[in-house]
Structure formats: structure tokens, C-alpha cells
Amino acid sequence: MISIQGLTKSFDQLEVLKGIDLSVEKGQVVVVIGPSGSGKTTLLRCLNILEVPTNGVVSIGEKILDFSRHVSNKEIVEFRRQTGMVFQSYNLFPHKTALENVMEGPLVVKKEGREAVRKKAEALLSKVGLGDKIDYYPFQLSGGQQQRVGIARALAMEPNVLLFDEPTSALDPELVGEVLKVMKDLAKEGMTMVVVTHEMRFAKEVANEVIFMEDGVVVEKGEPEEIFVAPKEERTRQFLRMIQ
Amino acid sequence: MKMYLNSIISDPERLERLIDIAQSSLLPMLEGAILYTIPLTLITFVLGLILAVLTALARISKIKILQFIARIYISAIRGTPLLVQLFIIFYGLPTLGLTIDPFPSAVIGFSLNIGAYASEIIRAAILSIPKGQWEAGYSIGMSYTQAMRRIILPQASRVSVPPLSNTFISLVKDTSLASLILVTEMFRRAQEIAATNYEFLLLYTEAAILYWIICFILSIGQGRLEARLDRYTAN
């Protein structure tokens, strides 16, 4: 479903990603872990081209972008429409209700009919447990509720891949569970997901593959048991010791 | 001051005359307000805002030539007196064979002015919307234009209501300058009446009070608009 070859990204002089190769099969959940500044969020943002890679090839589904040549905005927008993203700080549209947040993409981007979109949005909000909050504005919702609206908003575009950028990092501890539960349900349904997170429990339970990144490179990747129980690399061991 | 008041109090006929003038001038002045001051303000503000949004978009676009044109326009309008701009349009352009009536001249002059000043307000408001809002728009597949129109501008318009209200209220008062290019708006009516009876203090004060009332009503409207737009924020 996703394949990345030789991905690099530099901000001015600073090289944040130093050549990443990665592939994700359809229906897989890949969790990316690593210390802050390791480039994991940048990697995720390169997957939907919120950051334009400096070089390398990124492909999702049928579409391929080769950043060794110029890539137009139109190509980027087309490519991005295959993905959905859930942000650390939710980034809901504050001037729209939960329902309107979810409806916005299908309505404006896909230009689907309003009634059908409304039904779909209501169903998605029920699915994330917010069927009774559809007319609430973001400021009237808790962090966990806002993040679940964020997930519903991403799902409304029926993406091939869902990207999660530290989806629970801004949440109060007691609200983390409700968001993780929604994510686990999605994983069970076979959604292809790439998740940057510090939630090691989630990684152990849900991930098909865990990727440990540091200093802009993939240090080690493997099944959760391999990474968490018997990491091969010293740097992975150090990181896991620090967070446990 | 004392002499003026004494002359009124000690002379009942004078007082009666003043009351008479105040009353009889009210109608022509209100007519000036309703036919010219208020329409001029409203038309100009709408046209000016359209121009301002376009200018703001040009200013923040990545296209260098658009940025450049917008900068020159803003700089020229802000760097020259409004009165001089009005005089160039009304008294100057006929030299080039371009004669424009007073009211359209005023509309052009004031719109260009509002366009330049308000564009900086709108630009600042657009830039004040967090980057995450753009990214959220992009993440559901929006183009730049869609994100701007659906996500950024609605939020930016909320941010820009208080400063734009200032611009609007200034505009109401600035329309009095149109009297100098022969638009018979409220203040010109006051001047015309004062020229026949020499009661300058009375008539200009009356005009001032009428401007004040208009602005007061507008500021109530501003409060209502802000309250309405505040419905989606906690504070």
C-alpha cells in the first residue's frame, strides 16, 4: 500500500530525514517510535506531503511521486487525497460543529450530495461514540472527544491510509483510552495505519510492525515482540529503558 | 463663549431664530445623510472590502508580481492624503479627458482608500490563523483556494471585525471630505445653510451631533455582530 525509497528531507542546512526506506502492506498497522527530534513526525508528514520531501520516491496505492524532479501542487493534492491525518492538537475547524467538521471534506472536496454526506457523517460520529454530540462546537468538547471528531473527519474522506501524529500526546491521561479504543477498532477493521506515538501499550497490542527511528534514520524495525522483548540494536535498548 | 450665550439669552428673538434654523436645517441635513453620506459609506465599504481581500490575497501569494503590485498600491494610497486623492480624481482627471461626476468620484476615491487600509487588516487576520488549520484543510484533500475560502477566511473575518469596524466608523466621518468635491452630503448641506445665515457654530455642531449619532448606532451594530460571531469560541 505504501512504499518509500531513499526519502530525505532537509530544513535549510538541517537534514532531518537521512534516507528512509519503508513499505507498509494493506491493512497493516505500523507504529513509529523514537526520541523527540528523531524525524518520526517529519516522516509521517512526508507521507501526505505536508512536508515536501527533498528527495526520494513515495508511493501510496497506485500513485507515485518522485521528488528527484519537480512535483506540482496539483499532483500533491491528488496524492494527498488518498490519505487521512489525525493531528496531535486535533486541529478541528473551530467555526464548525462536530458534524460540519466531518462533512466538510466530502462536501467541498468530493462534492458529494449534502444529504448523503450528512448521513455518512452522523454514522461516523456514532462510530467514534459521539452520536449525541454532533451539533457541538469544538470548544464545547473535551480533548478526547475532539480527537475522536478528528478521526471521524479523516475517515469521512474514505482514505486508503490513515496517518496519526501523536494522537494522544495532548490529552489528559484519563482521556487517552477512549481515543486508543477507536484506533484499535479501526485496526481490527483492516484500516492501513501509520501511527507515531509514545503509547507503547498500543504498539505492543495493535502494531504489525514497530519502527524505531533516531537521528533521521530507521535504526531497527520488526514485530512488536522483537522490538520490545529482544531489540537487536543498543540504541533501541537505551530508548526503551528510558521510557519504561 | 460667554458673549455668545449672553447674546442668545438676552435676546429672545435670537433664540427663537436659532431654534428655527436648527429645526429647518435638520431635514436637509438628514436628507444629505440618507441620500449621500450613508449610501456613500455603504457602497464604498463593500467595494473597498472586496478590493481589500483581493489585495491581501495578492500580498500573501507566492507570485512576486502580484505581491509587488499590491505593495505599490498600498504604499501609494497610505502615503498620500485622502483629500489629495479625491482632488486628483475629480478635478485632475478631466485634464486627461476623463470627467467623473462627484458621487462616483467619491466612491472611487474612498473605495481605493478602504481597499488599501483594510487589506493590511485582512492580511494580518489571515496570518493570525494557526498553521494547523491550513494543514487540517489540506489533510482532507483541500486545495489552497478551498482551504482559504472554507477554513481560513471565515476565521480571519472574525478576527478582523473589531479593526474593520474602526475603519468603517472612520469612513463615515471621512465622507465629509466629499463635500469638497461637490457631493451634497450631510456636511455640505450644513455648509450651504450656514453660508446663508452665518450661524456656523450652530450648524456645524448640529452636523457633528448627527455624525456622532450615526457612529453610535454603528458601534452598537458592531457589538451585535461580534457577539454573533463569538458563538463558536469559549471566551
Side-chain angles (χ1 to χ4, degrees), chain B residues 64-234:
Chain B
K64 284 273 169 350
I65 183 74
L66 285 181
Q67 278 182 27
F68 182 72
I69 294 169
R71 273 170 182 278
I72 295 287
Y73 161 59
I74 294 167
S75 172
I77 296 294
R78 295 209 302 187
T80 56
L82 174 53
L83 188 57
V84 175
Q85 294 161 17
L86 291 173
F87 271 44
I88 289 176
I89 294 165
F90 184 69
Y91 295 111
L93 289 184
T95 311
L96 301 177
L98 195 61
T99 306
I100 307 171
D101 284 343
F103 190 77
S105 292
V107 168
I108 294 168
F110 287 113
S111 299
L112 286 173
N113 215 263
I114 294 295
Y117 279 93
S119 78
E120 289 294 273
I121 293 172
I122 290 167
R123 185 176 71 99
I126 290 171
L127 295 179
S128 78
I129 305 304
K131 195 164 148 260
Q133 288 294 310
W134 283 102
E135 294 184 346
Y138 289 150
S139 78
I140 54 170
M142 287 184 171
S143 63
Y144 175 86
T145 314
Q146 287 169 331
M148 178 63 94
R149 189 168 50 85
R150 299 283 310 182
I151 308 302
I152 304 302
L153 282 181
Q155 295 182 59
S157 66
R158 167 64 193 92
V159 178
S160 54
V161 166
L164 282 180
S165 303
N166 265 343
T167 309
F168 189 56
I169 284 171
S170 291
L171 174 63
V172 174
K173 297 176 294 177
D174 286 345
T175 56
S176 61
L177 288 175
S179 65
L180 294 163
I181 57 168
L182 313 183
V183 176
T184 49
E185 47 67 71
M186 188 161 78
F187 187 58
R188 188 165 183 91
R189 297 290 171 93
Q191 288 177 303
E192 284 169 358
I193 298 164
T196 62
N197 55 30
Y198 305 111
E199 292 294 350
F200 298 107
L201 180 63
L202 174 72
L203 286 154
Y204 293 164
T205 306
E206 194 177 331
I209 290 168
L210 289 174
Y211 278 114
W212 191 4
I213 291 171
I214 294 174
C215 289
F216 180 73
I217 293 169
L218 287 173
S219 62
I220 294 173
Q222 174 196 354
R224 293 226 174 131
L225 181 61
E226 277 181 46
R228 211 176 78 83
L229 290 169
D230 259 337
R231 71 188 188 280
Y232 60 78
T233 54

Side-chain angles (χ1 to χ4, degrees), chain A:
Chain A
M1 176 61 77
I2 306 176
S3 141
I4 302 173
Q5 284 146 32
L7 178 71
T8 63
K9 173 65 185 176
S10 301
F11 295 102
D12 296 324
Q13 297 301 312
L14 184 69
E15 196 175 30
V16 179
L17 296 178
K18 300 170 181 166
I20 306 274
D21 299 298
L22 192 71
S23 68
V24 181
E25 297 300 314
K26 188 171 164 47
Q28 267 201 326
V29 177
V30 172
V31 170
V32 185
I33 61 172
S36 69
S38 59
K40 53 193 194 302
T41 287
T42 305
L43 170 64
L44 196 73
R45 291 164 60 87
C46 281
L47 282 175
N48 66 350
I49 329 294
L50 279 184
E51 303 292 353
V52 180
T54 307
N55 209 335
V57 179
V58 182
S59 80
I60 293 179
E62 310 277 284
K63 293 203 164 65
I64 300 176
L65 292 182
D66 179 354
F67 292 94
S68 63
R69 59 176 185 85
H70 175 76
V71 176
S72 72
N73 269 333
K74 193 161 172 281
E75 284 176 282
I76 289 173
V77 170
E78 292 274 315
F79 187 85
R80 191 182 287 134
R81 284 181 186 166
Q82 305 182 91
T83 68
M85 190 175 225
V86 177
F87 297 88
Q88 180 176 356
S89 47
Y90 336 128
N91 294 353
L92 294 186
F93 307 129
H95 58 305
K96 294 179 185 293
T97 62
L99 187 69
E100 289 167 342
N101 264 276
V102 179
M103 289 173 68
E104 186 69 10
L107 215 55
V108 175
V109 176
K110 288 191 166 172
K111 305 198 165 32
E112 294 171 5
R114 181 171 284 274
E115 264 320 295
V117 170
R118 166 183 275 275
K119 284 216 180 70
K120 178 163 78 173
E122 283 173 355
L124 282 169
L125 284 169
S126 299
K127 183 186 163 114
V128 298
L130 293 171
D132 56 340
K133 297 271 193 292
I134 61 173
D135 290 325
Y136 283 50
Y137 283 95
F139 81 91
Q140 296 168 308
L141 299 171
S142 73
Q145 292 168 334
Q146 289 192 51
Q147 193 58 295
R148 285 185 279 151
V149 176
I151 294 171
R153 178 177 69 180
L155 287 173
M157 293 302 286
E158 291 157 13
N160 295 329
V161 178
L162 257 192
L163 309 173
F164 292 83
D165 183 14
E166 304 196 22
T168 57
S169 296
L171 295 176
D172 290 337
E174 77 273 20
L175 301 177
V176 169
E178 61 189 66
V179 172
L180 291 183
K181 183 183 173 300
V182 170
M183 291 169 64
K184 281 178 198 166
D185 290 347
L186 285 172
K188 266 185 226 149
E189 289 170 22
M191 173 62 79
T192 310
M193 295 159 61
V194 181
V195 184
V196 172
T197 186
H198 297 294
E199 292 293 329
M200 296 304 149
R201 284 250 318 274
F202 176 82
K204 281 175 200 163
E205 286 175 37
V206 182
N208 301 102
E209 186 172 53
V210 176
I211 292 174
F212 173 65
M213 278 183 74
E214 196 175 58
D215 292 332
V217 294
V218 174
V219 174
E220 187 169 356
K221 59 183 166 187
E223 291 181 10
E225 300 84 70
E226 297 176 291
I227 299 289
F228 290 116
V229 180
K232 292 191 196 74
E233 300 290 330
E234 178 53 30
R235 286 198 283 175
T236 315
R237 269 190 288 254
Q238 276 179 356
F239 175 73
L240 290 173
R241 259 203 305 277
M242 263 171 26
I243 58 165
Q244 272 156 8

